[in-house]
Amino acid sequence: MIILKRAWAVIKLFVLFNKELFVSSYAVLLQILKPKLSIRPGIFAMKTELKSNWEITLLSCLICLTPGTLTLDVSGDGETLYIHAMDIEDAEQLSQQIKNTFEKAIMEVTRA
C-alpha cells in the first residue's frame, strides 16, 4: 500500500512539474513577444520545511527547470533558498506558491 501511495505521489509531482513548466513557459513567451518589457526581476529568500539534502536539491532543480526562475543559493543550514525570478509582483505570494506546489509534492513523495 505504501508503494502505491508513493508511486501516486511521484506521478502527481511529475504532472505538477509539467503543468508549471507549461504555464511558466507561456508566461515567458508572452514577455518575449511584447514590444516593451514589463517585468520586475528580483531575488527573494524562501524558508523551506524540507530537511534532507535530497529534498532541497530536488526543489532547487525543479525551480531551476521552470522558466523564469533560478535557485541562486541555499543557506548553510539548508533552511533558506535564494531565488531569482523574472517577474516578482509579490515575493511572499511567489514563495507561498512554491511551497504549496513543489515543496508540498516533494514532501508527499519523500515522507509517504
Side-chain angles (χ1 to χ4, degrees):
M1 187 65 167
I2 291 176
I3 294 172
L4 289 175
K5 187 176 180 182
R6 184 161 290 177
W8 179 244
V10 168
I11 291 168
K12 285 179 15 183
L13 177 59
F14 180 74
V15 169
L16 171 68
F17 172 71
N18 281 305
K19 176 190 150 263
E20 291 295 325
L21 179 64
F22 178 78
V23 169
S24 61
S25 295
Y26 183 72
V28 170
L29 181 64
L30 286 179
Q31 289 295 334
I32 292 169
L33 294 176
K34 285 183 179 177
K36 183 178 179 203
L37 286 177
S38 61
I39 60 173
R40 298 163 303 255
I43 299 170
F44 66 98
M46 185 190 92
K47 291 278 189 186
T48 182
E49 294 177 35
L50 302 176
K51 300 296 179 202
S52 75
N53 287 338
W54 190 87
E55 291 175 328
I56 294 166
T57 301
L58 180 57
L59 177 61
S60 297
C61 289
L62 290 174
I63 290 170
C64 287
L65 290 171
T66 306
T69 56
L70 177 69
T71 304
L72 298 173
D73 197 12
V74 178
S75 64
D77 59 9
E79 291 183 1
T80 306
L81 278 72
Y82 298 95
I83 302 168
H84 177 274
M86 183 182 83
D87 192 16
I88 300 177
E89 186 173 326
D90 181 357
E92 184 58 35
Q93 180 184 11
L94 188 53
S95 182
Q96 281 305 117
Q97 179 186 1
I98 292 169
K99 287 177 155 302
N100 292 333
T101 56
F102 289 142
E103 189 174 273
K104 181 180 174 187
I106 289 169
M107 284 193 277
E108 287 178 12
V109 169
T110 60
R111 300 177 187 183

